[in-house]
Amino acid sequence: MHALPSHDALRQILPSVIFELADRFVRAGFEISLVGGPVRDLFLGRVSPDLDFTTSATPEQTVKAISGWADNIWDVGREFGTIAFKKDGFTLEVTTYRADAYDKDSRKPIVAFGDNLRDDLFRRDFTMNAMALRLPDLELVDPFDGVDSLREGLIRTPGSPDISFSDDPLRMMRAARFASQLRIEVSPEVRQAMAEMTERIDIISAERVRDELVKLINGADPRAGIDLLVDSGLADKVLPEVSALRLEIDEHHRHKDVYQHSLTVLEQAIGHETDTDGAVPGPDFILRFAALMHDVGKPATRKFESNGAVSFRHHDMVGSKLVKQRMRALRFDKDTTKAVARLVELHMRFYGYGEAGWTDSAVRRYVTDAGDLLERLHRLTRSDVTTRNRRKAERLGFAYDDLETRIAEITEQEELNAIRPDLNGEQIMSLLGIKAGPMVGRAYNFMLNLRLDDGPLGEEIAGERLQAWWAEQPESQAGEHDK
């Protein structure tokens, strides 16, 4: 934790647009303060991209104060007291002092505007976010000891945590998110309140839960955030498949349980990200979430063998289906859902390569099935090796090195990443004398499989093979195709 910079230093650090805004409000007779995350981040040695303010002005008075100065204004949050606008490339939000009340069965507060800064800070989620800098003199206002919370590395609430979480249950997810993002712990009373109030999360929309989960997974220490969700019981509501992993013993008998194994895979996957550039720039939610969820099919597929071993046959396929169900329930978009589920489905494909080796055809299929997820699949597969047996880990690592080398060689020879049959659809129709329809699709799939199995053949040989295949089809023999 850093000390708050001096006034002169703050004026150099903070964007000038803050002081321009403050001048307009003060001249109009209103109080205004920089509040929340931007103030907290100053103690963490960074400048927040968010610029949030609280003011004594009403929304209408705020609009009047910034009209003609702001580049553009939108007021979709007016009923909640928030006016957002852009100025010089910055997005700013100014919210009227709030003193909200809550209905225990509602997802939204009953908006009530307040008349002082302290009451506004009291209604905020955590003490570290309940600090403000009065503008323009940059006086720190910290009535609930947010600085002490940061210094101790603890997440606390300004008031009683059970009341805070009852008012807005999403704050429980935010606690886990901050544990991940800021590498800090929750206080004992916050942890207890989370455990006692998990049912309250049911009134929160899936979209809001999803957004906090994404921020958690993309944080600096997602293991800490997931642990908090699981230990508190909140994961039973939002990620029950992960909670279930605690009960399952890994088949290698080298880990405490599959849950701990999955968290280790997540951490190792983060280590395989390529910073802000490269093949998989981090933080990469798709890779990270696939790493966390890759074994969620194990509880449903666990089988005790006659020799005492435990197996999880087809847990990859079962897990992929469970991932789709969970991500759909959390309202993830289709592309992200499809990508994570596909990685879970493919994460076991590599095993066996080291013992038996693969034909060129098998390598082609591996690349084709992975598609644009190949780089992520490389990293997920490597991350899944958590054995403490050094010799086994080295053997698997060498085997995957060899596979990647073969992929690179075949790619160079055949442009594997853009595999297409030797004949396209129009050529197929011309050669076989058929019109567009299901038969063209079947013929195209035959040509694609031929390409995967035998590599590039050239149009002449490929045409001969296609005609031989066509001669064996009932449609050709019976003359049912439409010439």
Side-chain angles (χ1 to χ4, degrees):
M1 176 181 161
H2 298 251
L4 185 68
S6 66
H7 285 196
D8 289 342
L10 283 173
R11 288 189 174 275
Q12 295 296 318
I13 293 171
L14 295 173
S16 60
V17 69
I18 291 176
F19 301 101
E20 295 174 20
L21 176 68
D23 182 62
R24 301 185 73 85
F25 274 73
V26 171
R27 282 193 286 108
F30 303 117
E31 297 177 1
I32 188 167
S33 300
L34 186 68
V35 70
V39 180
R40 176 200 68 221
D41 285 353
L42 290 170
F43 288 94
L44 299 176
R46 63 194 191 192
V47 177
S48 173
D50 302 318
L51 294 177
D52 297 327
F53 304 84
T54 186
T55 181
S56 59
T58 65
E60 292 73 20
Q61 291 167 332
T62 292
V63 170
K64 184 177 180 180
I66 63 175
S67 292
W69 173 75
D71 295 332
N72 61 300
I73 302 170
W74 59 96
D75 60 357
V76 292
R78 182 189 288 258
E79 68 172 306
F80 299 104
T82 299
I83 302 297
F85 55 98
K86 280 189 175 292
K87 176 65 178 178
D88 296 341
F90 292 95
T91 299
L92 305 88
E93 290 190 358
V94 178
T95 302
T96 302
Y97 291 154
R98 296 267 291 271
D100 298 339
Y102 287 81
D103 185 315
K104 66 181 181 66
D105 298 319
S106 174
R107 297 177 180 178
K108 297 181 180 180
I110 302 170
V111 178
F113 296 140
D115 58 9
N116 67 87
L117 178 58
R118 189 185 190 282
D119 287 351
D120 180 88
L121 295 178
F122 181 75
R123 58 165 289 277
R124 294 178 180 270
D125 54 3
F126 305 114
T127 55
M128 63 182 180
N129 296 330
M131 298 186 289
L133 284 178
R134 287 190 186 274
L135 299 173
D137 58 3
L138 297 171
E139 172 196 354
L140 177 65
V141 181
D142 181 21
F144 307 108
D145 301 322
V147 173
D148 288 343
S149 294
L150 282 175
R151 184 178 295 113
E152 296 170 32
L154 287 177
I155 298 172
R156 297 190 177 100
T157 54
S160 172
D162 57 332
I163 294 176
S164 179
F165 295 158
S166 180
D167 284 349
D168 185 358
L170 188 67
R171 290 171 175 171
M172 294 185 288
M173 290 293 300
R174 286 170 60 83
R177 186 246 288 188
F178 282 125
S180 169
Q181 287 183 326
L182 303 181
R183 296 183 183 274
I184 58 179
E185 299 181 0
V186 296
S187 66
E189 61 271 18
V190 167
R191 185 180 294 271
Q192 180 178 347
M194 290 177 66
E196 293 174 351
M197 306 192 69
T198 56
E199 298 294 330
R200 288 288 289 161
I201 201 68
D202 289 342
I203 72 167
I204 301 297
S205 69
E207 291 84 355
R208 295 180 72 200
V209 171
R210 174 203 64 208
D211 291 347
E212 291 297 329
L213 180 62
V214 170
K215 293 174 184 177
L216 184 162
I217 295 297
N218 284 344
D221 186 11
R223 183 174 195 144
I226 293 296
D227 265 336
L228 180 56
L229 291 181
V230 170
D231 291 346
S232 67
L234 201 58
D236 294 343
K237 290 287 186 178
V238 300
L239 279 180
E241 297 82 5
V242 173
S243 294
L245 295 175
R246 291 175 299 172
L247 305 178
E248 307 305 322
I249 304 301
D250 188 87
E251 70 265 39
H252 301 298
H253 299 279
R254 295 293 189 272
H255 309 284
K256 179 180 179 181
D257 54 29
V258 178
Y259 172 68
Q260 293 298 330
H261 163 75
S262 298
L263 293 181
T264 299
V265 174
L266 169 59
E267 289 182 322
Q268 294 186 167
I270 293 171
H272 284 299
E273 291 173 340
T274 50
D275 297 323
T276 57
D277 54 11
V280 184
D284 188 87
F285 175 79
I286 290 173
L287 172 61
R288 293 183 179 202
F289 201 52
L292 175 66
M293 304 290 282
H294 76 285
D295 274 348
V296 295
K298 285 188 172 180
T301 58
R302 181 176 60 168
K303 180 180 179 181
F304 295 97
E305 305 292 350
S306 58
N307 62 0
V310 181
S311 67
F312 303 94
R313 292 186 178 89
H314 307 301
H315 74 273
D316 44 355
M317 303 300 294
V318 172
S320 179
K321 294 178 181 179
L322 291 174
V323 165
K324 287 180 183 177
Q325 293 171 6
R326 179 53 46 199
M327 294 185 72
R328 287 168 181 162
L330 290 171
R331 304 293 192 269
F332 276 92
D333 65 272
K334 291 182 180 179
D335 289 343
T336 302
T337 300
K338 182 179 179 181
V340 175
R342 186 62 165 161
L343 285 173
V344 172
E345 178 184 343
L346 294 175
H347 83 273
M348 293 294 293
R349 184 74 66 87
F350 159 73
Y351 292 94
Y353 176 83
E355 287 79 10
W358 283 355
T359 63
D360 284 353
S361 173
V363 175
R364 293 188 191 100
R365 289 183 182 278
Y366 187 76
V367 174
T368 301
D369 288 348
D372 58 7
L373 296 172
L374 181 62
E375 289 294 342
R376 290 185 174 105
L377 182 58
H378 287 335
R379 286 154 176 77
L380 176 59
T381 303
R382 289 186 180 278
S383 301
D384 197 22
V385 179
T386 60
T387 177
R388 296 175 185 175
N389 184 320
R390 181 179 176 182
R391 184 173 298 176
K392 181 178 181 180
E394 289 179 348
R395 175 172 55 79
L396 290 171
F398 291 146
Y400 208 85
D401 288 343
D402 183 64
L403 175 58
E404 287 201 67
T405 298
R406 290 187 61 196
I407 288 172
E409 291 172 348
I410 296 176
T411 299
E412 185 177 356
Q413 295 169 6
E414 305 178 8
E415 296 182 357
L416 190 56
N417 289 331
I419 280 182
R420 296 291 185 273
D422 291 291
L423 301 176
N424 61 31
E426 290 184 0
Q427 291 172 308
I428 290 171
M429 288 188 287
S430 175
L431 193 62
L432 301 184
I434 61 176
K435 294 182 178 180
M439 276 307 306
V440 178
R442 284 174 54 191
Y444 187 89
N445 285 334
F446 166 76
M447 294 302 300
L448 179 59
N449 283 314
L450 185 65
R451 172 70 174 80
L452 290 170
D453 289 337
D454 296 348
L457 299 174
E459 292 184 11
E460 183 177 353
I461 296 176
E464 293 173 358
R465 299 283 291 274
L466 175 64
Q467 288 178 320
W469 171 84
W470 177 243
E472 298 175 356
Q473 305 307 305
E475 292 84 353
S476 173
Q477 299 296 327
E480 294 176 1
H481 54 283
D482 185 8
K483 294 186 177 181

